[in-house]
Amino acid sequence: MEIFKATNVVKDYAGHRALDQVSLAVKEQSIFGLLGPNGAGKTTLIRIINKITAPDQGEIELFGRKLKASDIQHIGYLPEERGLYKKMKVGEQALYLAQLKGLSRHDALKGLRYWFEKFEIQPWWNKKVEELSKGMQQKIQFVITVVHKPKLLIFDEPFSGFDPINANLLKNEILNLKEQGATIIFSTHNMASVEEVCDHIALINQSKKILDGQIDAIKEQYKQDIYEVETSAAHDVTAEFSRNGFQLIDYQLKGQTQRVKFQLVEETPTNVLLQNLMAKMEIRSFREVIPSMNEVFIQVVEQANPKKQAHA
Amino acid sequence: MHKSFLILKREYLTRVRKKSFIILTLLVPFLFAGFTILPAWLAMQDDEEERTIGVYDATNQFGQRFENTEFTNFEAIPKAEFESIQQDIKSSKYYAVLYIPEDILNTNRARLLSDKQVTFDIKNMVGGKLENLVESDKKAVIIDQSGIPDLEEKLQAARTRIELETIKVDEKGGAVKSSTEIAMAVGYAAGFIIYMFVFIYGAMVMRGVMEEKTSRIVEVIISSVKPTQLMFGKIVGIGLVGLTQLVFWLVLIFLIVTGLQVFLAPDQAEFIQQSQSMMAANPQLQGAAQENAVLNIIDLVGNLNIPLILTSFLFYFLGGFLIYSSLMGAVGAAVDHEEEAQQLMLPVTIPLIFSIIILFPVVKNPEGALAFWASMVPFTSPVIMMVRVPYGVPLWELLLSMGILIASIYGTIWVAGKIYRTGILMYGKKVNFKEIVKWLFYHN
């Protein structure tokens, strides 16, 4: 079931169209990656979902009906640019922000206690925020984002500023939240983490959605008939790949093993290809090279912006 | 509404609990009392030390005629003793020695010798006594020469001093004793307090908004509440902080003044009695103060329309604060850095500063055209109308000014809200007025 749906959303700022006919659908209890180069319009879209700003055209639906003001208490948002009141004590501040999300004081205290214990950060309760390191502040911001048990969570670059251990802790918590029924929109430039956690992605470039789908399907879509073969043949096999519709991409010799990466010029069924190769050399391994999300991202964005250098 | 209240509560409590706020709120009334009342009280204290002053009179005309006062005795001393004492006043019994030279009638000069600095009061007292003695001797000679025996009384009778009483006649023809000085003092003080609070607390709103913007907490908050709720809570919360401080100051100053009065009451009664007996003894002073000055002031303050003044004060205090703090909040939202804020603050505060500049002309002529227009324009009326109210302002003028202010508050908050909503999420862009005007037409 789709928990969130945007249909033909348009948002204009003076002389600049931030979103142009963007449509998305996010399935319940999934992690949706919202990708795109800087300035593509991701933050604008996220702000529209949070009701911080309103679209000029188009429809936003949450839980199968039109998004309304009171929905923001079912949304948890961790912005990319995030901060806290520096002079305020951690506990007091967390309580305040949780209450702003609509929790009663009692529920807020209960929820915060649970998370502070889970992260083992109870000793910070009475410290001022300015006494904490940046990573510690990020943890508190994460707690504040999830304490009201939102059904829809939006994380914008959640791992920035975390060391690998804490980033891992956070990733597991995000996966846990999904297990418990939350739906997550995840915006990041870190493609490795996208591949790890996302089920589905959409890529926004220059205000338009240019790519949308299941991660595996997208990778499948962007594979370029590239294969990698390892052989223990005694002779140099490169000659075999320099003709007959092959294009040699990479060649490595390691001891007795030759590793060859090549692209097919003409489409050939994999099994036929393998049979051809088996006739010519001893195969140690054979695999089709599937592009990483990072490669897909660069390829798609560079295709869309042929002149400008894309910032991945 | 509930969320606005949460915001208001935080804005209020975090500021009221600050040490600097508590110290300032408690200290200022004491400083005020210290700087105004204490010196007056200390000046009233009698010097109660017993002193003896030796008088060596080379003319032999005045030496015996010095009258002792309550704590000071005069003793005439012969030349020989004076010469010996002169060497060593310290070991003598005299606090000081007055030397009246032979030619005093021509030179008007005498000397008061002491081993230490003679106190101001003693110097005045001794000088005054000698002056009176010399003057009366000179007068006696003139009266003798003129041949008019009651010349002194006649001159005395010609002395004139006029006491001008100001009476305000109201529409019903009733006369109310008024005091221009009191109305001026009350108006000036009220106008100045409004100016000060609007400035200080308006800037506090601006800094509060900037803190939220630069610390980037604002994005978290406005995913929970509407920007207008945030702005509303902040302005009202900080306004209440200002009101709290003002109320504390007024109550504390009142308590301190009353406390000091009770504490000083016996002395004061004595002082009044003393001054009255002094006047009786000295007919020259009688015209100057027929009534007790303190009672007179209380009487005149009582004649001011205090409920009207208090209501208008509260109204213009809040009105001025709302109109300026919403604009300053918008400035805080529009900028990234303190320096940019200073630049944009200037045009916002110019009308406020202007109202302080024209404060004095308005106090001098509260019915003039400048006073009238400045008390209608909503950006100057909080200060200027408040200056005029104690003098008595026609009701229609007061209501018109209040109406314009209320309408302008709505308009200003609308404009400020637009700027605020756009500016608060805009980073890394140097804004100018053209840019800000564009924001007014954004559809958020």
Side-chain angles (χ1 to χ4, degrees), chain B residues 238-252:
Chain B
I238 290 177
L240 287 178
V241 176
L243 214 55
T244 306
Q245 186 161 63
L246 185 68
V247 168
F248 260 92
W249 281 356
L250 292 180
V251 168
L252 276 176

Side-chain angles (χ1 to χ4, degrees), chain A residues 23-183:
Chain A
S23 301
L24 301 173
V26 180
K27 282 206 184 73
E28 192 169 1
Q29 220 179 335
S30 70
I31 300 184
F32 185 93
L34 186 60
L35 316 179
N38 293 324
K42 286 173 296 173
T43 305
T44 306
L45 181 62
I46 289 173
R47 283 180 181 168
I48 288 173
I49 302 172
N50 276 299
K51 283 240 139 207
I52 291 172
T53 180
D56 295 328
Q57 292 172 37
E59 294 280 318
I60 304 282
E61 278 174 43
L62 191 67
F63 311 129
R65 50 165 175 69
K66 208 167 180 276
L67 181 71
K68 55 181 193 214
S70 64
D71 284 337
I72 51 176
Q73 40 187 311
H74 303 300
I75 302 177
Y77 173 38
L78 185 69
E80 180 179 8
E81 297 284 3
R82 46 192 178 249
L84 295 164
Y85 290 112
K86 291 189 175 58
K87 304 264 176 213
M88 218 173 160
K89 283 181 182 158
V90 170
E92 200 185 343
Q93 178 150 219
L95 204 55
Y96 169 65
L97 292 170
Q99 281 178 285
L100 280 188
K101 268 292 181 191
L103 286 188
S104 70
R105 198 186 150 80
H106 175 259
D107 289 349
L109 260 176
K110 216 170 87 180
L112 288 172
R113 239 180 244 135
Y114 166 80
W115 281 102
F116 271 60
E117 260 166 49
K118 186 162 195 172
F119 283 169
E120 294 171 351
I121 55 175
Q122 303 101 309
W124 302 354
W125 188 270
N126 271 322
K127 279 194 174 161
K128 278 188 182 171
V129 169
E130 59 190 352
E131 295 169 44
L132 303 183
S133 74
K134 195 169 177 234
M136 290 161 141
Q137 293 184 26
Q138 303 265 55
K139 261 190 186 171
I140 290 167
Q141 276 152 344
F142 177 81
V143 170
I144 290 166
T145 311
V146 300
V147 69
H148 60 292
K149 300 188 180 111
K151 295 197 184 86
L152 179 64
L153 276 157
I154 303 168
F155 293 112
D156 198 349
E157 292 293 355
F159 303 126
S160 72
F162 277 103
D163 60 58
I165 293 169
N166 278 317
N168 201 42
L169 179 89
L170 204 66
K171 193 187 80 195
N172 290 334
E173 283 311 325
I174 291 174
L175 291 171
N176 262 345
L177 287 165
K178 177 189 155 190
E179 284 310 306
Q180 287 160 20
T183 309

